[in-house]
């Protein structure tokens, strides 16, 4: 389970301060698929960064499997992220000049998986997204949909417990988008991996078990039973 308790994130200093998350408390059940919705600037990315330990809120708790990750030293947070979380972020995108295999290998190197164990995991991830035939290609020579599938392979290669996907179908045509969605939901259901999707796409959001709507740095609505606990 992922639990946020009274999380407040402030950007900037003094006069330029901006509170992007205001006392946010929410719950995400293990193995659920959850859509995070909200207008541009509402705080969705800030929330994802807080949950994944990419950024440190000034206040509150981010409890994952019973551990408050805000209490961990930054090296431990990096390890935790490398082992437990897979990212499909536009900004985290592939190294174009490197091969498909090398791109998928990267998270395993960060998680210090021994070289001998990597090949098997990489091949399995590439087969899962149907990119095994392209494994020697340079990443930049793939089509848009193939790049997105490569991003999924990279996100799942380390057997994460949680997958974050930021607009995973944003730049894809509807047919390719549908395939990418299917891959993500299959993985969520088959492996019991928690899937957290940030999206503006109402249809994609509806396919998730739960929806959490963020407005002006607060949780406006959550369909997780008992999912909003109003902090004082
Ligand atoms: N490094 C920063 N310094 C100052 N303000 C920031 C910083 N990062 C984000 N913000 C502000 O925090 C608010 C929330 O930003 P965030 O990126 O979380 O929104 P979002 O909901 O993900 O938006 P979008 O859908 O456009 O990606 C915005 O008003 C933004 O301007």
């Amino acid at each position: 389970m992922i639990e946020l308790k009274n999380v407040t994130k402030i950007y900037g200093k003094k006069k330029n301060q901006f509170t992007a998350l205001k006392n946010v408390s929410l719950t995400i059940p293990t193995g659920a698929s959850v859509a995070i919705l909200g207008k541009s600037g509402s705080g969705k990315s800030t929330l994802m960064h807080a949950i994944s330990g990419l950024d440190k809120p000034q206040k509150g708790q981010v409890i994952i499997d019973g551990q408050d990750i805000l209490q961990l030293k930054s090296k431990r947070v990096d390890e935790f992220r490398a082992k437990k979380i897979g990212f499909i972020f536009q900004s985290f995108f592939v190294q174009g000049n490197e091969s498909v295999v090398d791109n998928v290998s990267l998270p395993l190197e960060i998680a210090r998986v021994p070289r001998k164990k990597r090949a098997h995991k990489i091949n399995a991830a590439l087969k899962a997204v149907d990119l095994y035939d392209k494994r020697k290609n340079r990443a930049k020579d793939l089509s848009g949909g193939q790049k997105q599938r490569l991003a999924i392979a990279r996100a799942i290669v380390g057997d994460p417990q949680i997958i974050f996907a930021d607009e995973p179908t944003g730049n894809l045509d509807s047919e390719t988008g549908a395939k990418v969605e299917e891959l993500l939901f299959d993985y969520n259901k088959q492996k019991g991996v928690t899937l957290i999707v940030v999206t503006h796409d109402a249809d994609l959001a509806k396919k998730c078990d739960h929806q959490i709507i963020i407005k002006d740095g607060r949780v406006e609505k959550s369909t997780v039973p008992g999912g909003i606990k109003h902090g004082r």
Side-chain angles (χ1 to χ4, degrees):
M1 188 164 84
I2 300 170
E3 225 184 335
L4 268 65
K5 290 186 182 170
N6 303 315
V7 169
T8 294
K9 170 69 195 180
I10 302 166
Y11 288 115
K13 292 215 168 83
K14 294 186 180 163
K15 273 189 192 164
N16 295 321
Q17 277 195 356
F18 183 83
T19 307
L21 295 177
K22 299 168 185 161
N23 226 16
V24 168
S25 297
L26 56 83
T27 304
I28 296 177
T30 300
S33 53
V34 178
I36 310 259
L37 296 141
K39 286 191 184 144
S40 174
S42 57
K44 303 180 299 295
S45 304
T46 306
L47 181 66
M48 299 264 272
H49 287 174
I51 300 176
S52 55
L54 284 168
D55 202 356
K56 248 190 173 172
Q58 284 78 359
K59 211 183 118 228
Q61 293 173 285
V62 177
I63 303 165
I64 301 181
D65 293 341
Q67 167 75 58
D68 180 2
I69 62 167
L70 299 183
Q71 299 298 325
L72 296 175
K73 295 223 167 77
S74 64
K75 211 176 155 200
R76 295 276 165 271
V77 177
D78 293 345
E79 276 174 24
F80 155 88
R81 190 167 47 246
K83 290 210 172 97
K84 294 208 175 187
I85 303 184
F87 290 97
I88 306 168
F89 278 12
Q90 312 286 345
S91 57
F92 257 55
F93 199 55
V94 295
Q95 316 287 318
N97 281 323
E98 296 199 15
S99 71
V100 165
V101 163
D102 287 346
N103 270 280
V104 179
S105 177
L106 198 63
L108 299 180
E109 290 164 33
I110 295 170
R112 295 174 189 274
V113 173
R115 192 178 292 270
K116 276 187 188 164
K117 290 193 178 161
R118 286 184 214 154
H120 172 71
K121 286 178 185 286
I122 293 167
N123 291 343
L126 287 174
K127 282 177 186 160
V129 301
D130 202 15
L131 274 184
Y132 185 71
D133 293 346
K134 299 277 180 188
R135 65 191 181 282
K136 290 182 182 153
N137 283 42
R138 276 188 311 186
K140 69 176 175 193
D141 296 335
L142 299 176
S143 73
Q146 288 169 339
K147 280 184 191 149
Q148 201 61 340
R149 283 188 277 139
L150 172 57
I152 294 178
R154 199 174 57 172
I156 65 177
V157 71
D159 286 325
Q161 293 172 13
I162 304 165
I163 292 183
F164 284 102
D166 192 359
E167 293 289 359
T169 56
N171 300 322
L172 304 176
D173 65 79
S174 57
E175 198 183 323
T176 315
K179 280 188 193 147
V180 165
E181 272 180 25
E182 201 182 312
L183 272 172
L184 284 175
F185 284 112
D186 280 355
Y187 196 76
N188 158 248
K189 292 280 169 309
Q190 284 167 15
K191 301 254 177 175
V193 166
T194 308
L195 176 63
I196 304 176
V197 182
V198 170
T199 185
H200 288 105
D201 177 346
D203 290 331
L204 172 57
K206 266 191 234 158
K207 288 179 191 157
C208 294
D209 300 331
H210 301 291
Q211 294 77 32
I212 295 175
I213 300 172
I214 306 295
K215 189 179 175 190
D216 298 333
R218 298 183 197 275
V219 178
E220 189 183 44
K221 190 175 169 222
S222 167
T223 68
V224 178
I228 312 181
K229 298 183 192 81
H230 287 286
R232 273 174 290 166

